Amino acid sequence: MSDATVESFLDRTLRNLRGAWEEVSVSTRHYWTGAPRPDLPTDDLEKIRGQMADCLSDKGGEVTARVRAADLGRSYLSLNQTGRHRFLGLLATEFGADHAAVDMAIGRLREAKDEESRRRAERALRAALVPRWRTLLRRFTALPEGVKFLVDLRAELIPFARETPELADLDGDLKDLLGAWFDIGLLELKRITWDAPASLLEKLIAYEAVHAIRSWEDLKNRLDSDRRCFAFIHPNMPDEPLIFVEVALVNGMSDNVQMLLDEEAPSSDPKNADAAIFYSISNAQRGLAGISFGNFLIKRVVDVLKHELPNLKTFATLSPIPGYRRWLNDRIETGEVPALTSSERKALVQAMELGNDATDVDLIRGGLGVDGWWDDDVLSEALKGPLMRGAAHYLSNEKRRSGGAGDPVAHFHLSNGARMERLNWLGDRSANGFRQSCGMMINYLYRLAEIDDNHEAYTDDGRIAQSSQIRGLAKS
Amino acid sequence: MSDATVESFLDRTLRNLRGAWEEVSVSTRHYWTGAPRPDLPTDDLEKIRGQMADCLSDKGGEVTARVRAADLGRSYLSLNQTGRHRFLGLLATEFGADHAAVDMAIGRLREAKDEESRRRAERALRAALVPRWRTLLRRFTALPEGVKFLVDLRAELIPFARETPELADLDGDLKDLLGAWFDIGLLELKRITWDAPASLLEKLIAYEAVHAIRSWEDLKNRLDSDRRCFAFIHPNMPDEPLIFVEVALVNGMSDNVQMLLDEEAPSSDPKNADAAIFYSISNAQRGLAGISFGNFLIKRVVDVLKHELPNLKTFATLSPIPGYRRWLNDRIETGEVPALTSSERKALVQAMELGNDATDVDLIRGGLGVDGWWDDDVLSEALKGPLMRGAAHYLSNEKRRSGGAGDPVAHFHLSNGARMERLNWLGDRSANGFRQSCGMMINYLYRLAEIDDNHEAYTDDGRIAQSSQIRGLAKS
Amino acid sequence: MSDATVESFLDRTLRNLRGAWEEVSVSTRHYWTGAPRPDLPTDDLEKIRGQMADCLSDKGGEVTARVRAADLGRSYLSLNQTGRHRFLGLLATEFGADHAAVDMAIGRLREAKDEESRRRAERALRAALVPRWRTLLRRFTALPEGVKFLVDLRAELIPFARETPELADLDGDLKDLLGAWFDIGLLELKRITWDAPASLLEKLIAYEAVHAIRSWEDLKNRLDSDRRCFAFIHPNMPDEPLIFVEVALVNGMSDNVQMLLDEEAPSSDPKNADAAIFYSISNAQRGLAGISFGNFLIKRVVDVLKHELPNLKTFATLSPIPGYRRWLNDRIETGEVPALTSSERKALVQAMELGNDATDVDLIRGGLGVDGWWDDDVLSEALKGPLMRGAAHYLSNEKRRSGGAGDPVAHFHLSNGARMERLNWLGDRSANGFRQSCGMMINYLYRLAEIDDNHEAYTDDGRIAQSSQIRGLAKS
Amino acid sequence: MSDATVESFLDRTLRNLRGAWEEVSVSTRHYWTGAPRPDLPTDDLEKIRGQMADCLSDKGGEVTARVRAADLGRSYLSLNQTGRHRFLGLLATEFGADHAAVDMAIGRLREAKDEESRRRAERALRAALVPRWRTLLRRFTALPEGVKFLVDLRAELIPFARETPELADLDGDLKDLLGAWFDIGLLELKRITWDAPASLLEKLIAYEAVHAIRSWEDLKNRLDSDRRCFAFIHPNMPDEPLIFVEVALVNGMSDNVQMLLDEEAPSSDPKNADAAIFYSISNAQRGLAGISFGNFLIKRVVDVLKHELPNLKTFATLSPIPGYRRWLNDRIETGEVPALTSSERKALVQAMELGNDATDVDLIRGGLGVDGWWDDDVLSEALKGPLMRGAAHYLSNEKRRSGGAGDPVAHFHLSNGARMERLNWLGDRSANGFRQSCGMMINYLYRLAEIDDNHEAYTDDGRIAQSSQIRGLAKS
């Protein structure tokens, strides 16, 4: 939602809420509703502080309090980045929990003699620890599209909180609030077709994060009869997908994404397909970062598809390996590339007209440095071995701090119980494909009978389920 | 939702969630899923304890954890009252906050030297204070109709919590959880007409709390063209009204509810009406007790009606005085009834053939003791004065502990900013009307320009806005 | 639609259509819009004639012409039966085809020399034969609910046309018009559940023609999880079922309708049912008499059910035999009742304490004359044989003028390709069941592989598909 | 609907209709269902004749007959242009009315002695005149999307019928059939917004006939908050607009279409607009040619807009003058161009460096011959006078055969009661605008109080309502 849209909805809201009450509210409110200057200089910050305090008060009743929250929301939207950062800083530092009240409650808790007074004291302490900003955040929900306003607010807050530790609690608290509203149990799984509203479909175009949607025709092709697209949607934000997945219904496990996305390819009868390939999963709301939907999404979609198309036997992804190239570059820097076989050496030496004394690192760096190496049959053939082994090694052995797989996409699917099934050489021939993954793609396979075991082995012991192809490549 | 319905939905859920995963989950879960005995004897309580602990664990991933929650929900539903009480007691006493963790966090908080470590310690303390049952409660939401399950669970918990203080925190926490989901900003105001689904309409019949709906014909009459019915509905429970209000569009402020509900009366053109009379407001979900919707409902409905029918000038209720008769009986016991005028005395003495030495108390008690006194013109005329004065006195001066009006309906409307406008003699001639209110009704008037002032005067100082009629009666 | 409703919609229409055009139309129309007297005396008939002529003119454009049609519609609705009869008589006699134009076109046709001029002449003749009233009838459709107005108009016209031959063409033409709009291809098959609008459900109660729906509870029971109800609905009359069928999902072919309709019976899991019993089919719109939907309805419903519930093996009706008792009474009058066996004779003679010389006719007439004979075990057992044989004979041999089965329900199902499967003794113990069918019911069986053959054998040769039970009974 | 789509729906249909009935229909039908060769050579034509005859028979019942119609529809779709022309020719020539039956009915009519036998004879004659193809056409409607099939069939039939007179009756009859289904009373007026299904919106892009929609962004701009788009839609073809109008809400009567369509222009608040400009009306279905919706559409839209936005005072079009340039070219050929004033002469002589003896015709022809004359200020200024006068003359005096205005857009709006209000110089600077209208546009004004009078004056006497500007220009 652009600021313009938000502003228009806040205006609308104010009209709605005030409506008949206009006369009244004018007479009884004394708080400041002027527009602050965009970067919120000290004077205006002072006034906003008063406005925030007003919003926390119950003066005039709950309805009037919500009108004040709308005014405050409008002030926020009129600010530039600097102003918003200051606005949120003010909220975070001055409208947190009341330290004195916390200390007093702690005192009482320590004196509690019996279970009942302990309980009472804990209750009081819990209440004292609730930051005051929470009341204010919750008041925004009464606005039409107020939930979306908070989601967008958090999208802005996250980068600020990285710079400013004081904002971390506000961010954490807002995340909890959003996490409760966007609980998986409150979401609807919706199939999205070409019959969906254009206002919803344009968001798929905007939010697609894996393989950019180039045009409405490209989008239409992805919603064709042998494709499926599913999204989780919250009933209060019916036009906003939270996360969506694109699926191709094909025969056999796909090994190339350009073939999947080819608009010219004829569509086939989905009833004859034996494989459902998940080729793109995109989170659509930055403001919901850290609230997880993806694992539910894949499992629900598998269920839905199995029911609709009983012929489907294979459920797998066709996924990028987004961290591979950067990892490989780092290895090249430090000289730790996979060893070349003698025939690979020979081919590379010839292809690049280098001397026999060129190191493996030189040869690989050199090969990758050739513009369009993938279109050179000899070069491409010579690089295939080391790059595939390197990718298998990267996927299998590179770890994140918490112990899981270093590659983010790998970590996501392994956590869900999938296994690494097949590396696909030149599976993504787009510029981005080469930049991230040296043109490689991987299939993660969701085999129903193994999902729970895979999940536990991975989560508890860091063990990664893999096919023999990948295990073999990684070892060599 | 009856237990049968819930059980069927849980079954369905288990099928849904397990579905493809069946094979898996069978292999990996070790927890007890047997049906407990209805009153949950100690052995079974032990097993349920294990099941609860299992539900809190993340073993097998989030989806599998939700399957376990559904199993536990089914166990709960198979219990009788005794069993459920014990089940909830177990949850409340053993799955609250972890005392040791709380104490440790407090220790750290007290040692915090700077703002940042203080903040970190507060955060840790806040986390430690979260009862473990909350994780479990939230897992239920992933079930279809899981929210409704929790609403119904709380409806059962409330009376238990009155008896058993240990349950109060669980109840309070569940109320907070429900309060976040049922935030007014997440609800939709819907007009309910005769075109609504029968499955929704039958709930109006079941939930109507003020003037019982006698039949589908009675209901249809209340949804006629010169009537309006509005409800707040949560998008996750689309067939369940949370609260609803019934409105009659008439000329002048209504003074008799039987006339309003007369099915034989012809319907009039709402465009000619100048008054909207709110004659019934019913909360539909006992499990949402303490979460307030009513004040929003009335104001939203006033806005909607003003927009649809610009001719409306008066927005008022026609309300019962539910506590009056009991209050009057108490006064009769203690001899503090309103003083009779001499003509009233004379009339009552005559009507009941008592001696002149009968006290006011005797006369009023006697009059009210006559079966069908309201149909006896003389008696009714003689009682009118003292009963009206008594009602005005009761409404104006009887207080609740918090300082507000003692009568619950009065307190509700005064808190919303309405004023007491007119007492209506024999405004409700139903058996219930006589039993509760001596047949009287009152109009609370919502005058838009005064609502905020009224609200503040009442909330801050306990001052009640009243018409001169009521003020006069209360004084005399 | 009651007259009141229609009138209100016409008012609304006039407002809609006039709206902005009000000023205009007032200035340009000169035709009479006064309300005629209810029985349309000669003077007013004269004025209505002018109004009709006005409606046929294009003066002021098509929109204005439709406004005039609405005025005329309102005039019609203000009339009583006599007035309406005269109104329709006027339309039928004076606004038919133009005889002179017809004769002229015939003249030209007879002179046509070549194929092309013959075609042109036929075209002109076809146009000349179009009655002028058709223009007027079609203008009504532009009114909101105008189609419903015409359906209701025809419902009134049909009995008039029986008395007055001049009205037959008007009726036939209106039937054709309605037949085009209500073409099966334009209808939607909708499943009706308890979630349907009350305004639609109350029409099921009103229109049910076979087994009266006694209450909303009875209706709810008929929409339970082991029941199905389907209706054909026209998109322009979304709240009006045209025809609907009620189905019970059971095990085995039902033999008693009271058991099917028992509200106390527990509902069973439809997935386990092996038989779908069509126990009631009702046409809802008298004004669509002669336009057939029933055969499509049954076949479409069978398809839908087979798809939803693959376990269903048997599709059959449980039907009344509405003409049986009257036919039997006629036979008793003429002395042609089925012959009794000697044991039947003996039992009846005993049961009624008659002499041995009592004729079969006497015995049967006597038995049926005993109040509540069905509750008398001896009598009931004695009558079973002759009544069953009589029914089989009636169903098999009684013919209508066109050669088909005399019983209307039998004719309907046999035309659809069903076969007579089983006679059920005391299958309908309601008062109506005894009055019409001596308490008997019959199952018509829809066996998919035989439907077309059955249909052709019946339609072409009058051959009736029957089970051996019925054939045997009919022969004996 | 492309052939591919139609074919797929027919396949679906056959599956639907056959479904359970498959076994049956295979056994009982003997007709030819093989695929004919694309150009329908004589042998195959013979077989199709048999298939048509089969479709007319009732053998196997109505449902089976519809299955046969679907087969025949599939045969049709498999043909190329030549084949379809022959197919329709066969239908038109051999399945029309039965001449012999017509002649016999005529004979009986001529012998009719009394009113009743005359009526009966007319009825028989009317029936005999119904072409047999109508039964077949109506059978197609039972297919899903069958109505759309017939609309598309007629779109193909129209050009054939222009070449082949034998097809005219078939076309006329199909038009009548479609005219009854698409009666204005059966259509819904729908506002189309950016929230409409993409599958509907892409049809606006395809069908827009006045100012081509260049992209989805252009479309989105035309559906912005200060724009409106309305369409008539038939409930049986919910994804197919029949006709749609695009409206801009602006201040003052627009004089330039590029400014209206500028995607960069900020959107304004529609509540402040005082004028609604209808800048594009497009018929979307060629197959509905001759069935008029436009006049209803404009009037309904005016009503809807007046209700939504009471500030609107002016309802006008911004229309092209599509026939002007061609007419002007013809005049230039015959030397009848508007006379130039002396200052215009002078300016043109100078601008084109011609001699003083150049005729008016030479000068105008020469000026228009200059590429991009409109960007040459002197030339453009010099041509403005004669081109404006010429346009006014063309619009006012050029007649069609029936007497109405020669320009088709002018005729449409004048028939609807609009008046010619203002000629806008360079109101359409697109290539098409110069090619058709010398860059000019005209506003037709819908003044509510004058519409009926204008309509009648135009329809009855050919009088055109005009502003003084246009009258003045036309006279000079």
Side-chain angles (χ1 to χ4, degrees), chain A residues 20, chain B residues 228 249-251 269-276 301-315 448, chain D residues 307 310:
Chain B
R228 292 291 181 276
L249 304 169
V250 295
N251 277 289
D269 187 340
K271 274 203 277 316
N272 300 330
D274 63 12
V301 168
V302 167
D303 272 352
V304 168
L305 289 175
K306 275 181 79 77
H307 190 259
E308 185 200 347
L309 300 165
N311 282 341
L312 291 175
K313 302 296 173 231
T314 304
F315 296 91
L448 301 176
Chain D
H307 190 257

Side-chain angles (χ1 to χ4, degrees), chain A residues 187 189 192 200-213 219 222 228-233 240-247 261 278-289 291-295 297-298 301 317-320 409 412-413 416 432:
Chain A
L187 306 184
L189 181 72
I192 296 182
L200 175 64
L201 293 180
E202 70 177 344
K203 281 164 195 154
L204 299 190
I205 297 179
Y207 296 147
E208 161 70 54
V210 185
H211 304 289
I213 301 177
L219 175 62
R222 297 187 192 202
R228 291 292 181 275
C229 178
F230 292 93
F232 271 137
I233 288 186
E240 288 281 344
L242 305 182
I243 185 173
F244 58 95
V245 61
E246 299 164 52
V247 188
L261 294 179
F278 297 66
Y279 64 92
S280 177
I281 303 180
S282 303
N283 277 296
Q285 308 290 335
R286 272 180 305 131
L288 298 179
I291 303 167
S292 158
F293 311 117
N295 48 354
L297 181 63
I298 290 184
V301 168
T317 74
L318 181 62
S319 301
V409 173
F412 173 76
H413 291 297
N416 287 342
N432 188 48

Side-chain angles (χ1 to χ4, degrees), chain B residues 122-273:
Chain B
E122 275 193 1
R123 205 181 305 159
L125 179 54
R126 203 179 286 124
L129 281 163
V130 173
R132 282 165 298 170
W133 63 57
R134 198 183 292 169
T135 301
L136 204 152
L137 294 177
R138 284 187 52 182
R139 283 210 168 127
F140 283 119
T141 59
L143 315 178
E145 302 179 43
V147 172
K148 176 66 178 153
F149 173 76
L150 287 175
V151 171
D152 290 346
L153 183 84
R154 182 157 179 256
E156 295 178 333
L157 177 56
I158 291 171
F160 294 154
R162 260 185 236 114
E163 298 168 35
T164 321
E166 287 84 354
L167 289 172
D169 277 3
L170 178 59
D171 176 44
D173 204 46
L174 183 48
K175 183 187 149 193
D176 285 352
L177 203 60
L178 294 174
W181 288 328
F182 290 91
D183 187 285
I184 198 72
L186 306 177
L187 307 184
E188 292 170 33
L189 181 72
K190 283 218 180 138
R191 182 171 166 202
I192 296 181
T193 69
W194 187 238
D195 289 325
S199 52
L200 175 64
L201 293 180
E202 71 179 344
K203 282 165 194 154
L204 299 191
I205 297 178
Y207 296 149
E208 160 70 55
V210 185
H211 305 288
I213 301 177
R214 292 176 305 272
S215 66
W216 285 83
E217 284 64 38
D218 184 5
L219 175 62
K220 186 178 180 182
N221 185 47
R222 296 187 193 202
L223 302 172
D224 205 352
S225 59
D226 57 352
R227 294 287 183 269
R228 292 291 181 276
C229 178
F230 292 92
F232 271 136
I233 288 186
H234 192 277
N236 282 107
M237 282 166 52
D239 287 342
E240 286 282 345
L242 305 181
I243 186 173
F244 57 95
V245 61
E246 299 165 50
V247 187
L249 304 169
V250 295
N251 277 289
M253 204 161 60
S254 302
D255 59 5
N256 183 291
V257 75
Q258 275 75 36
M259 281 169 60
L260 275 191
L261 295 178
D262 180 4
E263 294 175 34
E264 304 302 313
S267 62
S268 57
D269 187 340
K271 274 203 277 316
N272 300 330

Side-chain angles (χ1 to χ4, degrees), chain A residues 194-199 202 216 220, chain D residues 194-199 202 216 220:
Chain A
W194 186 239
D195 289 325
S199 52
E202 70 177 344
W216 285 83
K220 187 177 178 183
Chain D
W194 188 237
D195 290 325
S199 52
E202 69 178 345
W216 285 82
K220 187 178 178 183

